Amino acid sequence: MNIKPFGVERWMDLYETTCLYNIAETCVDSLTLNELELLTGEPGTLDGLIKNARMTYGEIPGNRRFREGVASLYKNVEPDQILSTNGAIGANFLALYTLVNPGDEVVVIVPTYQQHTSIPESLGANVKTVWLQRNKGFQPDLNELRETVTPETKLICFNNPNNPTGALIDPKTMQQIVKIAREQDSWLLCDEVYRHLNHDDEYAPSVVDLYEKGISTGSMSKVFSLAGLRLGWLVAPKELIEAAYDIRHYNMISCGKIDEIIGAFALEHKDKIIARSRAILKENLEILDEWISNEPHIDYVRPKAGTTALLYYDMDLSSTELCHDLMAKEGVMLTPGDCFDMGRCLRIGYAFDPKDLRAGLEALGRYLRKYDHTEA
């Protein structure tokens, strides 16, 4: 397989274990298992569940309790429409590998997670893109999408809430995207790892509840603060799940039994975890808003959901050059817009401990003031 290097993941590998201030992190502040038990009000429960579990493969499609927990995140999904995977990254790969053949036409709304473009390209698909525009609040241009999708389009890919922009597709636009896909009988794959983190606290429907050929991927990493489980899911019509199940036998057989036990426990208390995540984001978005309002070099489109936003800057440096220089001089890690083919902007994550966000922004501010001094 010939495939492009994964820009974001390559970048994160460079600095995330050595930086002083990681404001590139995209997960809501990670939980310890002790913290998870305290949050749910069930101290000691996991110890018993894990230590009494016999270390077999377990249920191959995924622990039943875990899949029931995943199903509870949707309106009209049954556990048999779900496969557990090694994170949402595994779910995306499984869906794409199941559906896409050489010569297939795939339309991708970008920017998005690079899997959506690079994997179909590596499989020999004809990949067409529709770009989100800053001056339109990063909402999809429906006219452009209609013109791009054809009777040959097998699959449309996007993520919602969007990574890296923090945009959330409004309900009317989402219905129109579904209509476009339905008219051409195309599959619709939505990476929904940030779903449930919209900042107005309204319920965001999933594509699988809106469309008979909708596919949703998600994980325990972002919303549920449990990235260390490396646990996600693929939700789709049963015909696709059956096809994906055959492929899954070749690359993973099953997920880790302990991971699924912990994941099931967490999802049984999903409301408490989601409330915690939203509270962190609300506080941190206020911090970010205030900082940007006082920073002359930076502006942004205020995110409506998720844990990320794009910071636009006015210095005469590429985003990669700026991020390397920022890391060298202040130990601050951000993600270059170049990783998304977006040029002079930076992706920030703002979902971790508020003290860490303040410290990282303060260091970024120092860097920007030093740049002013150098230019003068």
Side-chain angles (χ1 to χ4, degrees):
M1 175 186 287
N2 293 316
I3 194 165
K4 293 178 182 177
F6 206 139
V8 167
E9 300 305 332
R10 284 278 194 172
W11 178 262
M12 298 296 280
D13 289 347
L14 284 177
Y15 293 131
E16 65 181 330
T17 60
T18 58
C19 61
L20 296 177
Y21 309 102
N22 183 355
I23 53 175
E25 175 58 60
T26 59
C27 298
V28 179
D29 197 30
S30 297
L31 289 161
T32 68
L33 296 186
N34 280 335
E35 289 169 338
L36 174 61
E37 288 182 325
L38 290 172
L39 179 65
T40 60
E42 295 194 28
T45 302
L46 283 174
D47 193 59
L49 289 172
I50 292 169
K51 287 186 177 179
N52 291 319
R54 191 170 298 279
M55 288 293 98
T56 63
Y57 282 104
E59 298 171 79
I60 300 302
N63 177 297
R64 183 76 183 186
R65 284 178 62 192
F66 174 67
R67 287 185 290 136
E68 288 172 349
V70 172
S72 74
L73 300 170
Y74 301 86
K75 294 293 189 184
N76 301 297
V77 168
E78 300 295 327
D80 289 345
Q81 291 175 253
I82 300 165
L83 289 175
S84 64
T85 60
N86 55 319
I89 197 167
N92 286 328
F93 192 97
L94 183 60
L96 292 166
Y97 197 85
T98 302
L99 279 174
V100 178
N101 294 304
D104 284 345
E105 184 173 278
V106 177
V107 173
V108 186
I109 299 173
V110 290
T112 186
Y113 203 48
Q114 190 178 326
Q115 283 185 300
H116 292 163
T117 53
S118 292
I119 291 175
E121 286 172 349
S122 75
L123 295 171
N126 172 27
V127 176
K128 301 158 70 176
T129 56
V130 174
W131 276 90
L132 301 176
Q133 301 297 327
R134 180 186 177 191
N135 62 0
K136 296 180 180 179
F138 298 115
Q139 290 292 306
D141 185 318
L142 293 173
N143 289 329
E144 185 181 356
L145 185 62
R146 286 191 190 94
E147 291 172 0
T148 306
V149 174
T150 74
E152 305 304 314
T153 301
K154 186 172 188 179
L155 173 66
I156 302 168
C157 297
F158 64 111
N159 71 335
N160 187 49
N162 182 261
N163 171 19
T165 69
L168 179 68
I169 298 174
D170 66 73
K172 289 184 179 179
T173 300
M174 181 65 81
Q175 290 287 356
Q176 288 301 308
I177 293 172
V178 168
K179 183 180 178 183
I180 291 167
R182 185 178 283 125
E183 287 172 350
Q184 304 298 352
D185 194 33
S186 303
W187 290 92
L188 197 55
L189 169 60
C190 188
D191 180 330
E192 297 179 337
V193 291
Y194 299 101
R195 185 168 163 258
H196 304 290
L197 295 182
N198 42 315
H199 300 328
D200 61 7
D201 292 343
E202 293 296 318
Y203 179 83
S206 168
V207 71
V208 295
D209 289 324
L210 298 174
Y211 180 40
E212 59 276 8
K213 294 185 76 171
I215 305 164
S216 170
T217 59
S219 81
M220 299 303 299
S221 300
K222 312 298 184 182
V223 178
F224 299 100
S225 303
L226 294 168
L229 296 183
R230 300 311 306 127
L231 185 61
W233 54 83
L234 172 65
V235 183
K238 289 184 180 178
E239 63 182 283
L240 181 62
I241 291 297
E242 284 296 320
Y245 191 41
D246 284 336
I247 290 170
R248 185 172 169 274
H249 280 119
Y250 281 95
N251 70 356
M252 64 179 294
I253 301 179
S254 64
C255 290
K257 191 168 184 177
I258 291 174
D259 298 332
E260 291 187 343
I261 288 170
I262 298 169
F265 174 78
L267 290 175
E268 287 167 1
H269 301 278
K270 63 182 183 296
D271 291 343
K272 291 180 179 178
I273 300 174
I274 291 171
R276 170 190 179 266
S277 295
R278 286 179 171 174
I280 291 170
L281 284 166
K282 182 178 180 181
E283 179 178 356
N284 284 2
L285 190 53
E286 291 174 358
I287 293 169
L288 185 57
D289 275 340
E290 181 181 4
W291 184 83
I292 287 174
S293 69
N294 292 300
E295 180 45 64
H297 281 294
I298 302 290
D299 67 285
Y300 78 155
V301 176
R302 192 178 194 271
K304 292 188 176 180
T307 68
T308 66
L310 288 180
L311 307 182
Y312 286 84
Y313 62 90
D314 62 2
M315 290 94 76
D316 190 22
L317 290 170
S318 74
S319 61
T320 300
E321 290 171 333
L322 191 155
C323 285
H324 279 305
D325 196 44
L326 176 62
M327 181 65 192
K329 291 177 178 174
E330 292 289 344
V332 175
M333 183 178 181
L334 285 164
T335 304
D338 291 335
C339 290
F340 301 93
D341 296 324
M342 294 195 74
R344 198 169 294 183
C345 59
L346 313 165
R347 188 188 72 177
I348 188 171
Y350 57 94
F352 34 86
D353 188 306
K355 296 190 298 297
D356 294 335
L357 178 60
R358 288 185 186 277
L361 290 174
E362 182 180 347
L364 175 57
R366 283 197 303 271
Y367 172 84
L368 296 172
R369 289 191 293 275
K370 289 176 184 176
Y371 186 88
D372 272 343
H373 179 73
T374 301
E375 289 298 288

